[in-house]
Amino acid sequence: MNSTQPTNPDLDYADTLWKAADTLRGQIDAAEYKHVVLGMLFLKYISDSFEARKEALKKELEADGITGTQLESLLESRDEYTAERVFWVPPEARWKNLQDQATRPDIATLIDNAILAVERDNPNLKGKLPRDYARRGIAPEKMKGLIDLIADIGFKGSRVQARDTLGRVYEYFLGKFAQAEGKLGGEFFTPRCIVRLLVEMLEPYEGRVYDPCCGSAGMFVQSERFVEAHGGQTTDISIFGQESNPTTWRLAHMNLAIRGIEANLGPQPADSFLRNLHPDLKADYILANPPFNISDWSARLLEGDVRWRFGVPPAGNANYAWIQHFIHHVAPPNGHGGGVAGFVMANGSLSSGSGGEGEIRRKIVEADLVDCIVALPAQLFLTTGIPACLWFLTRDKTGRNLKHGGRDRKGDTLFIDARKLGTMQTRTLRVLTGDNNGETLCADGLGDPKPDSDIGRIVYAYRQWRGEPAPVWWDEAEHGVWEYVDVPGFCKASDIEGIGKQGFVLTPGRYVGAEEQEDDGEPFGEKYPRLLTELEGCFVEGERLMGVVRKKLGSFQA
C-alpha cells in the first residue's frame, strides 16, 4: 500500500515481535500462520480499545456521582461504546479472559468462539474475521506462546496513537508474511513504496476511490493517510473495493477496521470480471495492482461485455481486460477534472501486439486517455521478477489539470523512465526511497516526499508537467526552479502523433532518450592512450588466464 526494514521505534518493536512470533510458527505454513497472527492482533487491539473506553467511561460516570449497580450496568452498555465508534467486545472475547485460559488444551476453540461473539455483536464485522483456529491444529502450547507474546503489545496513549501503532505493526507483518510466502504473498500485498507513489501521483483529496482487486487494502490506507497529511478529513473520500480471494478479503476488512476506515468491499468476495459488485460506480480515483498476465480469466463468458469498448481482450491474457475495466469505471468529464486511474501493469502491456492488444492500445491512445507512463526499476516486488510499469489514465486532461491550477495538456502524454532509481534493501529486494516512514516529511510537516527521494523525483516531474503550482514549502534556491523540462534519460512529453510514429508502443525508453553523460574533464588526447593501454593490459591478462584454464583442463585428462 514496501519497506520491511524497521525505520522507527514502532517498527523496531514490530521487528522484534515478528521474530518472536515466527519462532512459534514451527511447521505451520506462512500462509496459514498469517491469519492466525493477524487475527489475534486484531482481537487484542479491539479488546484494548474497549478497555480504554471502559476506563474513560468509568471516570466520566464517577465524576457524575454514579456508583454501584448503576455504574456497573452502564459500563456494560453496548451503546456507550458504539457511540464512540469503539467495537463492543463481549466478556468471553476480552483479552484478559482469553489470556487467563491460555493453558487450556481447547484454547483454539475458545478463540474461535470469541471471534464468533465479536461478529455476533458487531454486525459490520460478520463473516469478515478468521475463525478457524481449532481447524488449523496448532499445538496448545504454541497458541499460549502467541497469546503471551501479543499480550505484551501496548496499544497505549490516545485511541488515535494506539490505532496508528497497531496499524504500523499490522502493515509490517503483512510485508513480512508476503516475503515468507513467496509468490502467493503478492496476492494480498503491494509494496508500500509503489502504493505511496500511486497515491502521490493521483492526489486523492476528495471523491470516490476504487480498487477492484484490493488485496489487503493498502491502497485505501495510503489514500486516507494522504488526505490526513494534507489537512483534509477522511470523510472527504468514499472507498469502494472488491477482492476475489476470501481470506484476503477478510484481511482487507481487518486492516481497514483497525484504522477506523469505512469501506464498501461488497457483501462477499467476488471476481471483478465475472461479478462486478459496483457495476454503476464512476470513480474519481482508481488505484490498483491487478495480477499480471493472468491467462484463465473466463474470457469466453464475457463476450460482448460493455467494458470492452476498445476491443475484445485476448483470452490468454487479462491485462487489457483490467485496463478496460478501469476505464469503464473512471468518472467522465464533469467540467472540473473527471476521474483518473493509476495502476501497476507488466511491461508487456506497453508494447505487446498479440491477441489484438496493440490495436486496443492504439485506440486508447487516440482517445487521449493516457496521461503518464512510468517504467519502474526491477526487483521492487516480493513475488515476481517481471518488469513492471505504472499507467495513469484520465478522461479529462484539460479539466483535471486546470482544477489543480495547471495548464491544458490535451493530447500529450508524459513518459518517465525510473528504471535506474531505487535502493537495494536486501539481496533480492529494491525499494524506492521516499515512502511514508516518518522520515520523509517536508519541513512544514506535510506528507510530501522529499524532492531528492526517488518517489519525490517522479512525483514532482509529473506535477510540474501538469502545471500545478509549487508546494508552499518549495525553496527554489534549494530544490531548483519549479518548472517542467524534459530530462534526457528520465522524462519527456510526447503528443499522440509522436506516439503514433513509435507504433503506439508506450515504453518510456523509446521517448526519453539517453541520459546525458557528465564530462570528466580529461582531454581526449590523454584519455585515448590511457584507455588503449588499459585495454592491452586486459588482453594480456585474458591470455594468461586462458593458459591457466587450459593447464587445469589438461591435468584432468591426464
Side-chain angles (χ1 to χ4, degrees):
M1 196 142 93
N2 185 80
S3 177
T4 53
Q5 292 287 354
T7 53
N8 60 41
D10 281 339
L11 295 189
D12 285 337
Y13 174 67
D15 187 55
T16 301
L17 182 65
W18 163 262
K19 290 173 182 176
D22 198 42
T23 61
L24 292 169
R25 177 157 65 98
Q27 299 302 309
I28 304 171
D29 186 69
E32 290 279 313
Y33 197 54
K34 170 178 75 236
H35 302 289
V36 172
V37 174
L38 296 178
M40 295 289 284
L41 278 172
F42 181 78
L43 200 57
K44 175 64 161 58
Y45 170 71
I46 64 171
S47 185
D48 278 11
S49 298
F50 175 87
E51 295 297 340
R53 170 57 186 158
K54 186 175 183 179
E55 185 63 28
L57 177 61
K58 183 179 180 181
K59 290 179 180 178
E60 294 171 12
L61 295 173
E62 288 176 339
D64 292 337
I66 298 174
T67 59
T69 305
Q70 187 182 8
L71 175 65
E72 293 303 319
S73 176
L74 288 172
L75 289 177
E76 291 296 321
S77 171
R78 183 178 182 276
D79 291 344
E80 294 289 349
Y81 299 86
T82 56
E84 297 294 321
R85 300 185 69 181
V86 173
F87 289 110
W88 167 256
V89 183
E92 64 268 38
R94 295 171 194 172
W95 191 264
K96 186 177 186 308
N97 178 60
L98 293 174
Q99 191 172 12
D100 287 345
Q101 301 183 80
T103 57
R104 287 179 49 164
D106 61 343
I107 183 59
T109 300
L110 294 179
I111 293 171
D112 283 337
N113 292 338
I115 292 175
L116 283 169
V118 169
E119 289 190 346
R120 178 196 66 214
D121 291 348
N122 297 273
N124 57 330
L125 292 178
K126 188 172 179 59
K128 298 169 184 175
L129 303 179
R131 54 181 188 278
D132 51 0
Y133 285 77
R135 179 191 65 78
R136 298 182 189 277
I138 303 172
E141 59 271 19
K142 286 190 178 294
M143 285 303 307
K144 181 184 184 304
L146 186 60
I147 289 171
D148 290 343
L149 180 66
I150 293 176
D152 291 335
I153 301 177
F155 298 122
K156 299 176 182 178
S158 69
R159 192 192 317 167
V160 172
Q161 290 171 327
R163 184 184 68 198
D164 289 346
T165 297
L166 177 67
R168 285 189 287 270
V169 172
Y170 197 90
E171 184 177 34
Y172 183 78
F173 269 47
L174 282 171
K176 297 297 284 187
F177 275 119
Q179 282 184 307
E181 286 188 57
K183 183 177 180 180
L184 293 177
E187 294 183 1
F188 67 86
F189 186 80
T190 301
R192 188 176 62 194
C193 61
I194 299 297
V195 180
R196 177 84 194 277
L197 178 56
L198 283 168
V199 170
E200 291 290 342
M201 297 277 277
L202 295 187
E203 301 177 272
Y205 288 103
E206 59 182 357
R208 295 151 297 186
V209 179
Y210 175 52
D211 183 351
C213 41
C214 66
S216 56
M219 301 287 185
F220 300 142
V221 171
Q222 284 281 18
S223 295
E224 291 255 334
R225 284 177 179 166
F226 180 90
V227 172
E228 290 176 339
H230 291 81
Q233 301 292 322
T234 54
T235 53
D236 291 342
I237 61 174
S238 302
I239 290 174
F240 299 85
Q242 189 162 340
E243 172 57 45
S244 61
N245 184 298
T247 54
T248 304
W249 183 77
R250 293 189 181 95
L251 281 181
H253 278 286
M254 287 194 293
N255 200 12
L256 294 170
I258 283 169
R259 295 169 169 83
I261 299 174
E262 295 183 2
N264 180 352
L265 305 187
Q268 62 274 128
D271 184 291
S272 291
F273 292 141
L274 293 176
R275 191 180 173 209
N276 189 356
L277 298 178
H278 309 288
D280 300 321
L281 175 66
K282 298 300 180 183
D284 300 292
Y285 305 96
I286 295 176
L287 300 96
N289 176 21
F292 297 167
N293 304 325
I294 296 300
S295 59
D296 183 15
W297 61 279
S298 305
R300 290 177 179 80
L301 299 177
L302 294 165
E303 293 180 4
D305 194 282
V306 67
R307 289 169 289 187
W308 312 154
R309 173 183 168 190
F310 298 97
V312 179
N317 194 313
N319 288 347
Y320 275 86
W322 281 115
I323 291 172
Q324 293 191 86
H325 180 86
F326 301 142
I327 293 172
H328 176 76
H329 283 287
V330 169
N334 54 20
H336 55 78
V340 61
F343 50 89
V344 187
M345 271 285 147
N347 271 2
S349 64
L350 301 175
S351 59
S352 172
S354 62
E357 289 182 335
E359 183 65 12
I360 297 173
R361 185 170 57 251
R362 177 186 67 79
K363 292 178 180 178
I364 292 172
V365 171
E366 290 180 339
D368 199 19
L369 295 174
V370 184
D371 200 36
C372 179
I373 299 289
V374 179
L376 296 173
Q379 296 178 283
L380 287 177
F381 294 85
L382 295 165
T383 57
T384 179
I386 296 174
C389 59
L390 301 181
W391 286 61
F392 294 90
L393 305 177
T394 180
R395 289 184 181 272
D396 185 7
K397 293 179 183 178
T398 302
R400 175 167 167 74
N401 287 331
L402 296 179
K403 177 184 178 183
H404 292 276
R407 296 184 296 274
D408 185 0
R409 293 292 179 182
K410 186 176 181 180
D412 287 348
T413 297
L414 179 65
F415 293 92
I416 298 177
D417 190 346
R419 290 177 297 172
K420 294 182 180 179
L421 302 185
T423 300
M424 295 304 295
Q425 187 180 60
T426 68
R427 186 177 56 84
T428 58
L429 181 64
R430 184 185 303 272
V431 296
L432 296 174
T433 60
D435 68 351
N436 194 12
N437 59 19
E439 297 179 351
T440 59
L441 302 182
C442 292
D444 66 349
L446 293 181
D448 292 319
K450 288 182 178 178
D452 58 355
S453 68
D454 296 329
I455 292 176
R457 189 178 176 194
I458 298 168
V459 166
Y460 298 129
Y462 181 55
R463 293 183 186 175
Q464 288 168 346
W465 173 74
R466 287 181 50 219
E468 290 186 27
V472 294
W473 49 262
W474 187 273
D475 183 346
E476 291 196 351
E478 181 180 358
H479 307 310
V481 177
W482 179 265
E483 180 181 48
Y484 174 78
V485 292
D486 290 337
V487 178
F490 180 65
C491 62
K492 183 176 177 60
S494 178
D495 58 18
I496 294 174
E497 182 180 357
I499 296 172
K501 290 178 180 178
Q502 294 290 340
F504 295 95
V505 170
L506 300 179
T507 306
R510 289 201 174 200
Y511 300 89
V512 303
E515 183 178 3
E516 291 184 351
Q517 299 296 316
E518 292 186 11
D519 186 354
D520 60 9
E522 183 180 7
F524 179 76
E526 298 176 10
K527 181 184 295 185
Y528 179 75
R530 178 180 61 77
L531 294 176
L532 190 60
T533 300
E534 291 179 5
L535 181 61
E536 290 292 343
C538 290
F539 288 152
V540 171
E541 178 65 8
E543 288 293 331
R544 186 189 70 80
L545 292 173
M546 185 63 72
V548 172
V549 171
R550 287 196 178 104
K551 185 176 180 180
K552 289 288 185 183
L553 291 174
S555 66
F556 290 136
Q557 291 176 344

